[in-house]
Amino acid sequence: MFANSRPVSSEQVGAHERLVTLLERHRRAVFRKPLASYSVMAFEQAMQAWRGAGEPALILDAGCGVGESTLHLATRYPDHFVVGVDQSAHRLQRGKDWWRDPWPENFIWIRADLVDFWRQLALAQVPLARHYILYPNPWPKLGQLARRWHGHAVFPTVAALGGVLECRSNWSVYIEEFAFALQLLNGRTPVIELWRPSSPITPFERKYLASGHALHRCVDSGV
């Protein structure tokens, strides 16, 4: 059934006690993992498409899945260019017959390692106007902190990319940690709020709402 998603289950009820230590370690460390060749080619493809559109304000839809959120964002911000990135070619290539609105032209979907894509944006000093991380895998077990984006070694790079950064989740702890990590790295206090969209923009958002989950979001204005 559609509305059958279970709420996130975790022993953790507040921010992880190791989060500060992990963030400080990542902030001091140099990221040495080589970039995957397919990610390098994908980044260049995305940049060519963006430049071909005249280099308008850039939006990154990080971990876009089947790409529904990319289409919604491109429609909502017609004067921007939206890059949707996902590592799964299967998800990106899946049929889009669920999209009933006019097809926007100001976007591109890219298959790439998201960690590599973030790093390449930073290396190329490409500014973001808006940046979305929508319903990432929560990795809710206590030992999985480093798998959450705000516990990953790439997060200081993510936090430094600029623009309005928004993360949504159906697990309040994830959003609490995400906001805390941003504040520690950038010195700004993001907005945390319950989120009740009038129109869902991802399949997960739609399913969680239909399943009665509380949704949460963190928004960092970037200034």
Side-chain angles (χ1 to χ4, degrees):
M1 295 177 63
F2 171 67
N4 63 349
S5 180
R6 296 181 179 178
V8 176
S9 177
S10 177
E11 297 177 8
Q12 191 179 329
V13 295
H16 202 292
E17 61 180 11
R18 290 187 53 245
L19 183 56
V20 173
T21 301
L22 195 61
L23 284 166
E24 292 292 354
R25 188 172 76 214
H26 291 332
R27 180 158 57 177
R28 293 192 302 267
V30 177
F31 208 123
R32 301 187 184 279
K33 179 178 175 290
L35 298 168
S37 58
Y38 79 93
S39 294
V40 174
M41 291 187 290
F43 182 76
E44 184 54 36
Q45 182 184 357
M47 292 299 96
Q48 286 179 1
W50 173 55
R51 295 185 190 108
E55 298 188 16
L58 188 62
I59 296 175
L60 177 61
D61 185 12
C64 66
V66 298
E68 181 181 351
S69 50
T70 308
L71 293 172
H72 280 290
L73 292 169
T75 301
R76 183 178 301 172
Y77 298 101
D79 56 342
H80 290 55
F81 190 81
V82 185
V83 178
V85 179
D86 201 88
Q87 192 163 6
S88 170
H90 174 69
R91 285 194 290 265
L92 289 173
Q93 294 168 2
R94 193 179 300 172
K96 313 297 182 188
D97 56 351
W98 35 260
W99 183 256
R100 305 298 184 186
D101 296 328
W103 200 263
E105 297 181 356
N106 57 323
F107 80 95
I108 188 172
W109 287 309
I110 292 293
R111 178 186 175 259
D113 182 318
L114 187 51
V115 172
D116 287 350
F117 201 89
W118 277 325
R119 292 167 63 203
Q120 288 177 98
L121 281 173
L123 289 169
Q125 298 183 324
V126 175
L128 292 179
R130 307 187 74 89
H131 186 177
Y132 292 86
I133 304 176
L134 303 177
Y135 304 97
N137 190 326
W139 297 108
K141 294 183 179 179
L142 282 170
Q144 294 176 329
L145 174 62
R147 295 193 175 195
R148 302 170 199 163
W149 282 132
H150 47 270
H152 194 284
V154 78
F155 197 70
T157 299
V158 174
L161 286 175
V164 177
L165 174 56
E166 179 170 340
C167 180
R168 301 180 193 173
S169 177
N170 65 328
W171 188 31
S172 62
V173 171
Y174 196 100
I175 294 302
E176 178 185 346
E177 289 184 343
F178 195 94
F180 177 82
L182 285 175
Q183 184 171 4
L184 180 67
L185 293 171
N186 290 336
R188 296 187 296 270
T189 304
V191 173
I192 297 176
E193 62 184 359
L194 283 170
W195 175 240
R196 184 76 184 184
S198 57
S199 179
I201 66 171
T202 85
F204 281 122
E205 191 163 69
R206 187 175 299 106
K207 185 172 184 177
Y208 294 153
L209 280 173
S211 300
H213 295 194
L215 304 183
H216 310 267
R217 73 171 181 169
C218 163
V219 182
D220 178 11
S221 66
V223 293

